[in-house]
Amino acid sequence: MNSAYARCSARQRCGRNRRTSKGRTVATSSSRMSGTKTIWECNSPDSLLDLSARFCITHLDTFLTSSKAEVDTLHLPTEIGEKLFQMAQEEGVDLDDKFIHIFRHLTRICRASLRESSITDRGIKYLLRHGLRELDIHNCAGLTVQTLHNINRYSDNLQNLCVGNSVQILPDYLQPEGTFSDSESEDGRDGNIYEKQGFIIKAPKLKRLCVRDLFVNRGPMFFDLLLKPLTDLNHLDLSGAFHNQGMGSFGWLLNVSQLVSLTLHNVQDVEDSLKTLCQLKNLHHVDISQCNESRGHFKQPTQFMETLVRSLPKLRSLDISGTNLAGTGGERTNTESVQCDIAGLASRVDNPLEFLGLYKTHNEASGRQHIPARSISGDSCEAQILVAGQRYLDRPTVLENILNDLFHVFRYETCQNLKQALDILLLAMERHNHEKHIQISGSASLYYVVKSESLKRDWNVKVKRKILGTLLNGMLTHREDPTMMRNGCLTLCQFQIPADVLFDYKRLVKILLHIVSEHTSEENNFIQRAGIFLLNSLACQVDGQQKMLVGSLGAMEKMLLIITDKLQQGVCDDVMETAWSTMWNVTDETPVNCERFLNGGGMYLFLKCKDRFPDKADLLRNMMGLLGNVAEVPSLRHKLMTKEFVEEFAFLLDSCSDGIEVSYNAAGVLAHMASDGPQAWAVDQPDRDHVLFRMARAINRWDLRSGRNINYRSFSPIIRLAGVSHTPECQLWAIWALANLTTVTPEKYCKLVVQEGGLSLVEEMLNENSDQVKTSLHQVKEWAGIVRSNVLKWEEQGDLNLEFDG
């Protein structure tokens, strides 16, 4: 009961601290300190600068010059150069040596951020020659200690240096007698080069230094040598630093006594730092948080806290997450004048901290009622979790726990600040694309966020693209992980497909093709089903260029393999049916995909599926719709002209499966084949005239008011058949199709008839004023009259609506 009460109280208190603005997440003071970005932006068009930069970055040959004279005359201002580098990162371009080399003389930049880059020492040397003021390198495995030498050579202007994870440029080994393991001599015995030169990093103007996960194997004077030359340093972050011989009493921090911000997150032996920390009187921010439970246990937590806080008069921000420094709660101060549930902070009751980090503190400290801080990161309520997410974006281990906490909020509670939550999810996934657990946790929560109708009302095209782009990045990187694929597919189903994803169409197609062809095990059945459903949706209602793209990426071959596999299993499920439907969509007015179908043995699979699953109406409809597309291609029709295929099509004329759809498609295939004339009918059996007779008989049985399960983007193939005077049965099918579609769905198809010349052809047929467009069948004329009547009625209705509008 007490625990529940504490959580409730904290939640109520936290709720009053949330500050948001409609349409955009507002950064609180704490998030501004940590440099948090936001994905929320207005829906205005991209600036001309952004458009130009994006074009140049995706067409790097724009900058390639053919002569030295051109190199000397072409120069871009610093602002443009930095915009190009920023745009390259947004577009996912690898800032490798080749990229950097292009810009070595073209522009000068002051800031460079290299994340997940394959750049080497040579490439970064080109960058450093620009005289950088800020350099951030993270997960650049190709860099060595040579980059450190280059930084020292070109660091006169350097003010901000961040050496992140997976970057090994600093020495890690100092011999007792003074020899570093990275000595440039062959035998490694030319003496301690760093001690001789008096520095590890030479940057006289450096104000901010961040080195994450630094491992020092040997050398007790290492940190002294690192910090002593940096006389202007005021911000220091040594998160994850480890010294194999211990950190001592942290006395080396006194070399930079002017520090205003010190981060020792997850640093060993931090309890031994108290005496030194108390001497750094200028500190505004101290972070001694831990994510290792044993390291977070202090022997005298209350005394440590009280001494630290009283000794630092300028302290405004303190992070003790993951430790026991908040005490057990039993030692709280509770008098008439002072109420404080963290005894070590009793001295700050009248002067509360701007920020206090209590995430995963021992004894559930973040759930206590009286805490002297304006903003708190913790795990007791949604608001605290969101603050934690804002501040710990660069700590993947902590961030994974935060995302799990957010998932719990989304699934079992009601999230009160979806915009800020979405910010954290996307920024976390964007920043840690290679961290599988972050991608899985983030995408699981993303599913619940994007389901929200209230959020959908607020987001715009740019925000949707940010969500989808970030999700696709994670899916592409972790495409072998079934959980990531499942989360991604579920989230994608919440968007309008294909409209919302056209901007990143190719990547999504690649991912989905991988899913349907690789995640095929029984336990992954849902993933394959979801993937093929999305792929089919992507192939529907897009133009020919995108259908060609889908085909060029191997869609036809993968669909045929899926169908072959299902045939071998003797299973006709929604995966098989959707595979045929996908090919039906992809072949629509796309001859090259029709050819891929035939070359891949598609006709053989058609016959096998029909024989194996004769009662599957949806399957048969999808297969015949696909063959209708193939038959529309003149150069491929001869491949359908075999006794076996023609007999099958003729047999299906009398099918009642799925209403008239199978019979209709069979007649359409035969009409196209017959339209090439008697000389092209290359089989003796079935006889052409007999097939045409059966076709006419079937067409005359169809109800003109039959509802249709079909979607035409163009009537060109049908209108072509309507003009085939030498075979009136072709006209019969074509005119019936136009009459039916303009009767059942006039608002959609009458316009198409007019636009593509169908009305003019019908008029010529009815007026008999053309030798080329005539018919010998009375029924054709009757249905042609219905087409004309439907179109004229639709046009009159349109004129009437215009009058009312006026």
Side-chain angles (χ1 to χ4, degrees), residues 207-210 232-237 259-262:
K207 297 183 181 302
R208 294 172 178 261
L209 174 64
C210 171
D232 284 352
L233 200 68
N234 52 41
H235 286 70
L236 176 63
D237 183 346
L259 283 179
V260 297
S261 174
L262 174 63

Side-chain angles (χ1 to χ4, degrees), residues 482-600:
T483 305
M484 184 66 199
M485 295 302 98
R486 179 188 179 92
N487 292 350
C489 287
L490 284 170
T491 304
L492 287 167
C493 287
Q494 304 304 313
F495 290 87
Q496 295 295 319
I497 305 293
D500 286 345
V501 296
L502 290 177
F503 77 100
D504 215 349
Y505 192 83
K506 184 176 182 178
R507 281 206 311 162
L508 180 53
V509 171
K510 284 183 175 180
I511 293 169
L512 294 177
L513 286 175
H514 178 83
I515 288 173
V516 301
S517 59
E518 300 298 328
H519 292 270
T520 57
S521 62
E522 186 64 32
E523 59 269 26
N524 292 337
N525 181 255
F526 172 81
I527 303 173
Q528 189 186 38
R529 285 169 53 215
I532 204 165
F533 166 79
L534 286 165
L535 188 64
N536 188 37
S537 300
L538 272 185
C540 187
Q541 297 180 344
V542 292
D543 59 30
Q545 186 176 3
Q546 284 150 335
K547 292 178 188 289
M548 289 174 64
L549 172 64
V550 175
S552 70
L553 293 174
M556 302 302 292
E557 292 79 4
K558 283 183 169 57
M559 295 303 104
L560 293 170
L561 283 173
I562 289 172
I563 293 165
T564 300
D565 183 54
K566 294 294 181 181
L567 270 171
Q568 291 173 350
Q569 298 174 31
V571 174
C572 178
D573 56 9
D574 49 1
V575 171
M576 174 184 264
E577 290 176 0
T578 310
W580 281 104
S581 178
T582 301
M583 291 195 293
W584 181 6
N585 282 319
V586 172
T587 54
D588 181 27
E589 297 183 43
T590 314
V592 65
N593 288 339
C594 295
E595 188 170 12
R596 289 187 175 109
F597 168 77
L598 294 176
N599 292 342

Side-chain angles (χ1 to χ4, degrees), residues 200-217:
I200 294 175
I201 296 176
K202 177 188 177 184
K205 296 180 181 178
L206 194 68
K207 297 183 181 302
R208 294 172 178 261
L209 174 64
C210 171
V211 183
R212 295 198 177 96
D213 295 333
L214 174 63
F215 176 83
V216 182
N217 193 27

